[in-house]
């Protein structure tokens, strides 16, 4: 069936009527849950101030010449972190000097004072640690003592999650083509709920990581498939806006994380509360039908007809006979015969010098966009001030960014929006570096602007990539770009930790990458108003040819297979 015939279905039953609106918001609501779990670790892995636990009961504590009877009382004076030393006297008379990762016993008799110059014996923190509970009663770090020589265990929580995201996108994207969109939506949503709860009840670090990994696979699988699912139900007139605004619900999930973190300060309770957001979708997902496009691709015409009739009934429109539309192409080049698709590999993205250059630039943009997106979110808790408000604002600023994309890409062009976003993001990273430390409000405002710019570029790149390549490698191009972007999300947590070498080193490197990406983007052709390329020759002419009739998803000039290839490939980049 040709794509223009498929669009005739939407012309008859409605491009975005009541049926599509209800279905869209049901599916979009679950995107909130995905956004939640992608950034839940921001507060789960908080590492509070800590010190070694002394090997006995404490009778008196000395800290900065201030004496106290309880070790837990000194946190209100604890400002400078790991370099501070706490002196305690045990009930047996021993005097110990405690630091964040070491403890020393004074070998010579001494009073509780800070001017001891005698011999000391060093001991590891075998009795565990005492943590500051002024902000969080419990985190993953305090639960399993992920500090000092075990600190890297905490740093691996988010990268391992992102590895699960990568694997889930590949597995469930394949299964959705084989088993159907609806079944995968059911299974991944159920997995999000149960694995989310399993994370909260993990008995040790390793079961926690396994549960988080499976949760990441489920969440990523849902995001990949839901964009295909929604796209196959929405007509061309509303498709672009609907797809991009799915990102906004992911951003709402970030805001929910900030609000929940503010009110719930125990990590496992926090995780359970966040996991309950999935419940409404799990309850309602059984009413979602399979997409008619997938049913038609499997030859299940009667089921597809029933879905189309249901769409027409909900939208109060007249239905159409799929058999009549299908018969129009029975003798055509597409007909009902399966396509013989030539297999392509990664080397095809380096077809010649120009195409290879284009591919490397696109990959750099994918990497930079994803790295910047997660760096700004993860680093929001380190900006100073209220970390919960900072993360909330980092999520809120994404929503106008996606509105900007929708307006800009069809008015001033895809490339122009991309270049503007990347270079603006680079300049804003530079501005953050020169703001005085005491100007916290300005630091947060400029960082929000940087997240807006980087978020806009990351939201646009998957669509732009789909338009830059011809049909035979379009899936490969966007899929490879998505793979490269996952590398950015995996290294983002480590990128944040570069601030230990120099406070602004992460911003400097992100700014350099964004500036280089923005300048190199000028080499790429503008694709606004041009039909999708079907051959390398057409792709090479994108710099000079513009057809006013061609919009994004120019379905009147492409087969249904080509159209859905754009959708399926583009979705892989939408896994956030």
């Amino acid at each position: 069936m040709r794509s223009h015939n498929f669009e005739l279905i939407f012309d008859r039953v409605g491009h975005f009527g009541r049926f599509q609106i209800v279905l869209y918001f049901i599916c979009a609501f679950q995107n909130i849950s995905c956004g939640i779990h992608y950034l839940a670790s921001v507060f789960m892995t908080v590492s509070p101030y800590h010190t070694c636990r002394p090997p006995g009961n404490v009778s008196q504590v000395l800290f900065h010449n201030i004496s106290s009877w309880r070790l837990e009382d000194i946190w209100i004076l604890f400002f400078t972190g790991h370099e501070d030393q706490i002196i305690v006297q045990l009930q047996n008379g021993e005097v110990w000097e405690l630091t964040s990762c070491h403890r020393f016993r004074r070998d010579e008799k001494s009073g509780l004072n800070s001017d001891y110059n005698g011999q000391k014996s060093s001991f590891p923190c075998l009795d565990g640690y005492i943590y500051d509970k002024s902000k969080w009663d419990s985190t993953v770090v305090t639960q399993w003592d992920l500090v000092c020589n075990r600190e890297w265990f905490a740093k691996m929580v988010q990268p391992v999650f992102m590895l699960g995201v990568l694997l889930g996108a590949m597995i469930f994207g394949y299964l959705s083509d084989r088993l159907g969109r609806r079944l995968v939506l059911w299974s991944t949503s159920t997995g999000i709920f149960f694995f989310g709860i399993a994370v909260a009840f993990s008995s040790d670090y390793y079961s926690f990581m396994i549960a988080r990994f499976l949760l990441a696979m489920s969440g990523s699988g849902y995001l990949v498939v839901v964009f295909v699912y929604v796209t196959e139900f929405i007509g061309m007139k509303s498709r672009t806006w609907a797809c991009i605004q799915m990102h906004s619900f992911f951003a709402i999930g970030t805001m929910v994380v900030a609000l929940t973190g503010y009110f719930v300060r125990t990590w496992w309770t926090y995780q359970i509360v966040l996991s309950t957001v999935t419940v409404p979708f799990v309850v309602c997902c059984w009413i979602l039908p399979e997409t008619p496009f997938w049913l038609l691709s499997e030859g299940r015409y009667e089921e597809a007809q029933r879905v189309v009739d249901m769409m027409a009934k909900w939208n109060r429109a007249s239905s159409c006979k799929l058999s009549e539309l299908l018969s129009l192409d029975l003798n055509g080049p597409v007909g009902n015969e399966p396509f013989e698709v030539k297999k392509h590999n990664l080397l095809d993205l380096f077809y010649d010098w120009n195409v290879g250059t284009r591919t490397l630039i696109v990959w750099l943009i994918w990497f930079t966009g994803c790295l910047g997106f997660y760096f700004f979110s993860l680093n929001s808790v380190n900006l100073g001030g209220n970390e919960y408000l900072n993360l909330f604002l980092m999520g809120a600023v994404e929503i106008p960014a996606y509105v900007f994309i929708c307006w800009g890409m069809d008015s001033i062009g895809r490339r122009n929006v991309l270049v503007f976003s990347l270079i603006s993001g680079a300049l804003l990273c530079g501005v953050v570096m020169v703001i005085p430390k005491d100007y916290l409000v300005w630091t947060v405002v400029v960082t929000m602007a940087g997240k807006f710019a980087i978020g806009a570029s990351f939201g646009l790149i998957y669509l732009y990539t789909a338009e830059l390549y011809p049909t035979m490698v379009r899936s490969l191009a966007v899929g490879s770009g998505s793979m490269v972007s996952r590398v950015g999300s995996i290294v983002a947590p480590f990128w944040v930790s570069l601030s230990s070498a120099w406070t602004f080193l992460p911003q400097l490197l992100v700014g350099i990458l964004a500036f280089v990406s923005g300048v190199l983007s000028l080499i790429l052709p503008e694709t606004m108003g041009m039909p999708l390329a079907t051959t390398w020759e057409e792709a090479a002419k994108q710099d000079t040819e513009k057809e006013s009739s061609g919009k994004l998803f120019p379905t009147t000039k492409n087969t249904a297979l080509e159209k859905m290839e754009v959708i399926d490939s583009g979705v892989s980049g939408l896994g956030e």
Side-chain angles (χ1 to χ4, degrees), residues 369-443:
C370 194
L371 172 64
F373 181 91
Y374 283 102
F375 165 73
F376 280 113
S377 296
L378 296 173
N379 192 55
S380 62
V381 298
N382 301 321
L383 295 177
N386 189 312
E387 57 264 45
Y388 306 103
L389 178 60
N390 293 346
L391 182 62
F392 183 89
L393 294 175
M394 290 303 123
V397 77
E398 291 180 43
I399 298 175
Y402 302 135
V403 175
F404 169 71
I405 294 172
C406 292
W407 168 81
M409 68 180 186
D410 285 330
S411 56
I412 62 177
R414 282 81 155 126
R415 183 184 63 182
N416 293 336
V417 172
L418 187 63
V419 171
F420 173 78
S421 299
L422 288 169
I423 294 182
S424 296
L427 295 176
L428 289 165
C429 284
V431 172
V432 168
M433 296 168 59
V434 300
I435 296 176
K437 187 176 181 180
D438 295 335
Y439 288 70
L440 293 178
V441 174
W442 283 107
T443 300

Side-chain angles (χ1 to χ4, degrees), residues 24-45:
Y24 179 81
F25 282 103
I26 289 176
C27 295
F29 184 84
Q30 180 69 343
N31 267 32
I32 298 175
S33 183
C34 295
I36 283 171
H37 292 298
Y38 273 50
L39 287 170
S41 66
V42 170
F43 296 124
M44 268 199 301
T45 57

Side-chain angles (χ1 to χ4, degrees), residues 50 52 82 99-102 125 129 145-152:
H50 60 276
C52 276
H82 297 295
T99 64
S100 59
C101 296
H102 299 89
C125 300
Y129 303 84
D145 289 334
L146 307 182
V147 294
C148 300
N149 61 335
R150 287 171 55 85
E151 184 179 9
W152 70 274

Side-chain angles (χ1 to χ4, degrees), residues 313-485:
K313 182 178 179 181
W314 273 67
N315 293 341
R316 297 176 181 174
S318 57
S319 187
C320 57
K321 295 295 183 181
L322 294 180
S323 57
E324 297 176 3
L325 293 176
L326 288 168
S327 65
L328 296 176
D329 287 294
L330 289 176
N331 298 319
V334 179
N336 289 322
E337 296 299 322
F339 291 94
E340 290 188 11
V341 181
K342 178 184 175 182
K343 297 293 183 181
H344 294 273
N345 57 50
L346 206 60
L347 293 178
D348 290 306
L349 298 180
F350 299 87
Y351 174 77
D352 58 28
W353 175 261
N354 291 331
V355 174
T357 301
R358 178 181 299 187
T359 297
L360 292 177
I361 294 173
V362 168
W363 283 358
L364 177 62
I365 297 169
W366 275 96
F367 176 82
T368 302
C370 194
L371 172 64
F373 181 91
Y374 283 102
F375 165 73
F376 280 113
S377 296
L378 296 173
N379 192 55
S380 62
V381 298
N382 301 321
L383 295 177
N386 189 312
E387 57 264 45
Y388 306 103
L389 178 60
N390 293 346
L391 182 62
F392 183 89
L393 294 175
M394 290 303 123
V397 77
E398 291 180 43
I399 298 175
Y402 302 135
V403 175
F404 169 71
I405 294 172
C406 292
W407 168 81
M409 68 180 186
D410 285 330
S411 56
I412 62 177
R414 282 81 155 126
R415 183 184 63 182
N416 293 336
V417 172
L418 187 63
V419 171
F420 173 78
S421 299
L422 288 169
I423 294 182
S424 296
L427 295 176
L428 289 165
C429 284
V431 172
V432 168
M433 296 168 59
V434 300
I435 296 176
K437 187 176 181 180
D438 295 335
Y439 288 70
L440 293 178
V441 174
W442 283 107
T443 300
V444 173
V445 170
V446 175
T447 303
M448 285 177 61
K451 177 66 179 296
F452 177 99
I454 295 296
S457 65
F458 188 43
L460 176 62
I461 185 58
Y462 87 98
L463 288 170
Y464 189 38
T465 303
E467 296 178 324
L468 285 173
Y469 290 86
T471 301
M472 73 283 290
V473 294
R474 188 169 292 124
S475 289
L476 187 62
V478 185
S480 65
S482 179
M483 295 277 286
V484 172
S485 76

